Amino acid sequence: PHTKEKDRVLITNIYSEWKVKKKGNLLDVEHIGFMDPSGSIPQWLINTNVVDSPLKTIKNLKKRVE
């Protein structure tokens, strides 16, 4: 469904899961996500967030752990 503002799309269904496993001295991190925007979103915006958002989350998590 669209919001009252015609230039916005309301996301009504979203799922995100992080799996972190210790492998020796390293961590294996897996992120699984699904989003149904119920409308049209430009492909460049989707691609940017698919790449940048998980990396940004991991960097922020590292800062909190240190």
Side-chain angles (χ1 to χ4, degrees):
H2 291 275
T3 61
K4 291 180 183 179
E5 296 84 8
K6 293 181 181 182
D7 62 340
R8 298 184 184 171
V9 175
L10 178 63
I11 298 171
T12 58
N13 190 3
I14 189 167
Y15 171 81
S16 182
E17 176 181 329
W18 288 86
K19 293 182 181 180
V20 181
K21 297 178 186 174
K22 187 173 181 180
K23 290 193 174 182
N25 292 333
L26 302 174
L27 292 177
D28 181 41
V29 180
E30 179 181 2
H31 178 243
I32 300 168
F34 167 80
M35 178 180 67
D36 180 5
S38 300
S40 181
I41 295 178
Q43 196 66 40
W44 65 267
L45 182 58
I46 294 169
N47 289 339
T48 299
N49 284 303
V50 165
V51 173
D52 294 344
S53 292
L55 184 58
K56 184 176 178 182
T57 299
I58 290 172
K59 285 180 178 180
N60 287 331
L61 179 60
K62 182 181 177 195
K63 287 179 187 176
R64 293 189 67 149
V65 172
E66 292 175 333

